[in-house]
Amino acid sequence: MLQVNRLEKNSRRSRAVMHGNTVYLGGQVGTDLDGDIKTQTRQALEQVDRLLTAAGSERKKVLSVTIWLKTMDDYEDMNAVWDEWIDGDEPPARCCGKVDMTDPRIRFEITVVAAI
């Protein structure tokens, strides 16, 4: 039976869950909720990097991402940061949509599934 490991958990959520050779990251947002879309995107991706490293993975092993934006007006600026961050030779499956965020200051949220 495969073991399940959880990182940075509390009674409501885990920041990451590892099962077999896969890691599932919960939604990551920027820490500067007053920051613009580029700042929030960079900060959230830094969180992704940190969690991937803690799980024994890395960017080029990202399999799938879901990106949520507060407004599609941020799409191009978010993609400018995304394109610098992602491994263009090994891009993941990706979707992006607009949602109401739990905090109206949040402009960007990302979930990630990656191989370990």
Side-chain angles (χ1 to χ4, degrees), residues 83-97:
D83 290 344
E84 290 176 8
W85 180 83
I86 196 62
D87 183 332
D89 293 329
E90 303 291 337
R94 181 186 119 162
C95 69
C96 181

Side-chain angles (χ1 to χ4, degrees), residues 14-79:
S14 296
R15 295 263 184 231
V17 177
M18 295 165 288
H19 180 257
N21 293 324
T22 307
V23 59
Y24 305 86
L25 303 188
Q28 301 302 307
V29 299
T31 54
D32 180 0
L33 298 184
D34 295 319
D36 63 14
I37 187 63
K38 287 185 175 185
T39 299
Q40 288 193 19
T41 302
R42 276 189 203 95
Q43 292 173 342
L45 293 174
E46 288 170 3
Q47 290 289 92
V48 169
D49 280 333
R50 182 182 65 75
L51 288 167
L52 288 174
T53 298
S57 188
E58 59 186 317
R59 286 181 207 174
K60 71 180 180 180
K61 293 183 178 180
V62 173
L63 304 172
S64 174
V65 301
T66 301
I67 295 171
W68 299 116
L69 297 175
K70 178 179 178 179
T71 173
M72 293 309 287
D73 294 339
D74 287 338
Y75 187 74
E76 288 185 34
D77 286 339
M78 177 276 299
N79 271 328

Side-chain angles (χ1 to χ4, degrees), residues 91-111:
R94 181 186 119 162
C95 69
C96 181
K98 175 188 166 206
V99 307
D100 290 330
M101 300 294 192
T102 58
D103 182 318
R105 299 172 299 164
I106 297 172
R107 305 181 67 88
F108 174 93
E109 185 168 357
I110 185 171
T111 62

